[in-house]
Every structure is written in structure tokens, then in C-alpha cells.
Amino acid sequence: MDQTLLTGNAAAAWGARLASVDYIPAFPITPQTEIIETLGGWVDSGEMPGRMVTLESEHSMLTAAGAAAATGVRVFSATSSQGLLHAMEMLYTVSGWRAPFVLVNVSRGLSAPIPLEADHNDILAARDSGFLQIHCADCQEVLDGVLLAYRLAEDPGVRLPVLVNLDGFYLSFTREPVALPDPADVARFLPPFDPGNIRFAASSPDSQAVAVLGGSPYSYFRYETHLAAQNALAVYERVADEFDTLFGRQRHAVEAYRTGDADIVFYMMGSFATKAREAVDRLREAGQKVGLLRPRLLRPFPADAIAEALAGAQGVAVIDQNLSLGQGGVLHTELGASLYGRRGAPPILTSFIGGLGGREITPEEFYQIAAVTREAVATGQAPPPRLLYTESELREIRKLQAVAQVEREETTPLRWSGESSRGEDQA
């Protein structure tokens, strides 16, 4: 198994190459473009079989991906941020087609205003679309996640598309050591796609679905899709065990780090969880029993595995790199709903919003989060959700606000052509 330095984008491209994809509909968007460029270079040079087609938008890209997957070929594509939102209509549509393919999303904050770095508002906007979701914390997980996603999507008991998410800039353009598995081993883990009854032949057209359903059959249709997503929980764990046996890397639905005896647990996902892992080690050195729980699989939601990992903890600090406006952090809301009423659930959940638009979360902030959660455990009262923000950042924002106010006051207002500069009628 060769190891080389790869960006997260290159790791995603290698995942698609090793999966022997047949069709790549593509549309570029920062910071995902390197994935498409890398695959395009391999296809053009003959290093990679398959066909790549550039489309005019993310909407048409997802349409092409779903249509191709519905004919029984293995499909890959990638997008990011506003692109994912532009394709949102088709996310719901192609999952309703039960079209199994893999879409990589390179997370980036959403407009307006326009940010360039990562948070998770884009990927979480797609959580109810029917796409399953795998979230990666490092570049190795990106490559592994693509391979796992194909096994999950193509399983006869699932047959749903899968989103594999990595954080823009923090992973997309960061080089890390990545073990490239032997193609023969990948072929054993991921054999050619067996489409079963998914097929297309122009000589014998056969409709696979209907366009319009009434309320009663529609309800049952959506519920069957929900059951297929739930089936993916058991399928994923079985596939992860196979992956571990073959490649020696555990990729279970939930990663628990030093949670066995922890009284305080950080709960978060994505690349910033690696910062939390380091903070856990430093807090352990200081004598504090702190752990980290990170969901890799967000859809379907691994509620039982999460509850089991948190059993015995007194407080859970949920750190959301997203903000559901008017409610708060999505992970905090979902975790609270999942644990509510369960025997032995942690009595305290604290909520922290951080990393929006790629803002750093410092080690000192993790230490403070642990202290706030420990205090909440002692008092039995969780504080209101908090936005991670320092005094120096607040002073800088106030300074910018003051400058903007002065500029507004000093700017000469626009005049109608019939007004004088003093606002008086001209003679």
C-alpha cells in the first residue's frame, strides 16, 4: 500500500479513480475544482477509463448524474457551497429515483455575504434530501469515504445516492500522507456495480417510475425511501468491518476518542474535530476526564451508537460549525432530540457555535468549552447557546462599525437632477 502526500481534493479524485467510475458529469466551483481537473487530466491521458462531460450548471450536472446512475453505470461528481444549493431541486429528485451514485461536497460557507472558507451550512441544507452523508476529518478519510460510499449506495437494500463531505481549504488544499490502496484490493472490496433491475436499453424502453403520485401512494413511497436509508445503518457497519479487515483502518459510523471514562465529551464533526482531539489530550494531561465523539455517518443518523458512546458522561459540549437561523446549531438540536427520554442519557447538553466561514477554533476555546460544560454539570443548568468569539474580535468588529458609520455620515447623498447641492429648487 503506497503512501503519498495528497490534498483532500486529490484524495477524492483517487477514490473515484480506484472505484473505476464509468461517468463523471462535472461543473467547477471553488474549492472543489481541483477534483474535476485531476479526473479530467487522467481521462484525457488515458490513465483512467470512463467518460467525463462538462455541464452548464450544477443543476444539469446532478440531472445527468442521476439519469446515468439510473441506467446502471457507476457515477461520480463533486460540488461545493452555492453549487450544492443550485442543485438542491435535483438532490431531492434523484434520491427519489433511487439512483445510487457518489457526490463529493467540499464545504464552504454560504452567501450572503460571500465567504471562501468552510462551514457546514451547505451540507446540512441537504440533510433531508434523501442523500446519505459521510463526513471526513482528514484526507485519508476522504479517499476511504468515497470507496465506502459506493458500497453503501449500491447495496440492494439501500440504493440511494451518498454525499461525502470534506471541509474546504482546511482539507481540500491541505496535503497529508494518504495510503493509496492496491487496485486489486479495492476491486475485492468494491466489485463492479451490479445494477440488478436498474437498466436501460433503447431497443426495449421500460419505465422505472411514475412522474406524479397522489397523497396516499406518495406517502408510502417516501416512507419506503426512509426505510432504505435506515437499512443503511446496518449495511454501513458491515461494510466498515470489511474495510477494516482488508485495509486495516476502522471507519465506523461514530468515532469515539477517550470516551470510556469521560465525564465531559466534545461532540462535533469535520476537520475541526482533529483540533478537539488534541484538546482532549491536553485536558487529560491536566487531569480532566474529557473525550471526543464524532459522527462520520450523519444520514442515516446513528442514534443508538451515539447514545451508547455517551452513556456515563455527565455533560456533552456540542460544537456546531453551522447555524440554523432562528433555532441554533443543527447537531445540538438533533442530538438533544435523539437523547431525549433515553435512560442513562447525559443530563447536560451545552451548545457552542464556532468555525463559521472558516473562523479558527483555538485550543483555549476548547478548554473554555470544557470549563463551561463542567460548571453546567455542577449547577445542573445548561447556559444559553454561545457563539465562539473573542474580545479582540469584538473590538475589531466595533471598530469597523464605527468607520462605516463615519463614512455614511460624511458621504454626500445622491441628488435628483432637479435638485441643487443644497437641496433647494434651482431657478
Side-chain angles (χ1 to χ4, degrees), residues 121-203:
N121 281 301
D122 59 348
I123 186 68
L124 290 178
R127 64 180 175 148
D128 300 327
S129 66
F131 271 70
L132 309 183
Q133 290 193 15
I134 297 173
H135 289 256
C136 305
D138 58 44
C139 294
Q140 183 70 65
E141 282 196 3
V142 173
L143 187 152
D144 297 348
V146 171
L147 300 179
L148 287 161
Y150 277 110
R151 279 292 304 273
L152 191 61
E154 294 172 1
D155 188 277
V158 178
R159 292 294 165 90
L160 286 169
V162 181
L163 272 160
V164 177
N165 196 72
L166 62 143
D167 291 343
F169 294 90
Y170 282 96
L171 286 187
S172 62
F173 299 131
T174 297
R175 294 183 186 276
E176 295 179 340
V178 174
L180 292 176
D182 187 277
D185 290 334
V186 174
R188 288 166 55 197
F189 175 75
L190 183 62
F193 177 32
D194 178 6
N197 64 346
I198 301 175
R199 62 191 180 278
F200 174 79
S203 59

Side-chain angles (χ1 to χ4, degrees), residues 140-425:
Q140 183 70 65
E141 282 196 3
V142 173
L143 187 152
D144 297 348
V146 171
L147 300 179
L148 287 161
Y150 277 110
R151 279 292 304 273
L152 191 61
E154 294 172 1
D155 188 277
V158 178
R159 292 294 165 90
L160 286 169
V162 181
L163 272 160
V164 177
N165 196 72
L166 62 143
D167 291 343
F169 294 90
Y170 282 96
L171 286 187
S172 62
F173 299 131
T174 297
R175 294 183 186 276
E176 295 179 340
V178 174
L180 292 176
D182 187 277
D185 290 334
V186 174
R188 288 166 55 197
F189 175 75
L190 183 62
F193 177 32
D194 178 6
N197 64 346
I198 301 175
R199 62 191 180 278
F200 174 79
S203 59
S204 55
D206 183 18
S207 174
Q208 297 185 40
V210 293
V212 180
L213 286 175
S216 295
Y218 175 84
S219 298
Y220 191 74
F221 183 93
R222 296 300 292 177
Y223 186 64
E224 281 195 316
T225 308
H226 168 68
L227 292 179
Q230 288 190 319
N231 288 344
L233 275 172
V235 172
Y236 182 88
E237 288 301 339
R238 172 172 54 80
V239 168
D241 285 338
E242 291 181 34
F243 189 91
D244 187 16
T245 300
L246 193 57
F247 300 108
R249 291 189 293 277
Q250 292 186 353
R251 294 292 184 248
H252 294 299
V254 179
E255 180 193 47
Y257 182 67
R258 306 187 77 165
T259 59
D261 64 342
D263 51 15
I264 302 296
V265 176
F266 296 135
Y267 180 84
M268 64 188 304
M269 66 184 186
S271 63
F272 277 25
T274 60
K275 300 172 183 286
R277 179 191 285 260
E278 179 68 17
V280 166
D281 290 341
R282 301 289 78 78
L283 288 164
R284 286 277 179 168
E285 290 172 0
Q288 299 187 39
K289 293 182 179 180
V290 179
L292 167 67
L293 193 65
R294 176 174 69 91
R296 282 194 182 92
L297 192 65
L298 194 70
R299 281 295 182 275
F301 188 74
D304 291 340
I306 288 171
E308 182 180 352
L310 292 177
Q314 294 302 303
V316 181
V318 184
I319 305 167
D320 273 284
Q321 203 176 341
N322 68 82
L323 181 57
S324 178
L325 303 178
Q327 171 59 32
V330 171
L331 296 186
H332 179 262
T333 302
E334 292 205 336
L335 182 62
S338 173
L339 294 177
Y340 184 79
R342 284 184 183 256
R343 186 172 298 173
I348 290 293
L349 294 184
T350 56
S351 174
F352 300 87
I353 311 295
L356 299 182
R359 178 200 177 273
E360 184 70 75
I361 301 179
T362 66
E364 291 75 19
E365 286 175 315
F366 282 109
Y367 306 152
Q368 184 67 17
I369 288 169
V372 169
T373 305
R374 194 173 299 280
E375 181 180 355
V377 169
T379 62
Q381 182 66 46
R386 297 189 181 187
L387 174 67
L388 298 180
Y389 224 65
T390 65
E391 286 291 337
S392 61
E393 286 176 310
L394 188 57
R395 285 195 297 269
E396 186 64 26
I397 290 295
R398 286 172 175 166
K399 186 187 300 182
L400 291 172
Q401 289 174 333
V403 170
Q405 179 63 31
V406 170
E407 289 178 346
R408 283 195 297 269
E409 292 173 352
E410 292 181 349
T411 300
T412 302
L414 295 175
R415 305 294 181 181
W416 295 104
S417 58
E419 290 182 319
S420 70
S421 61
R422 297 190 303 275
E424 300 170 349
D425 290 338

Side-chain angles (χ1 to χ4, degrees), residues 70-88:
T71 69
V73 301
R74 184 169 285 166
V75 179
F76 174 87
S77 193
T79 189
S80 175
S81 187
Q82 307 294 148
L84 183 68
L85 265 61
H86 187 51
M88 189 62 72

Side-chain angles (χ1 to χ4, degrees), residues 50-69:
R51 183 176 182 185
M52 181 174 181
V53 178
T54 54
L55 280 299
E56 67 272 17
S57 73
E58 290 88 356
H59 188 281
S60 55
M61 176 194 78
L62 258 291
T63 305

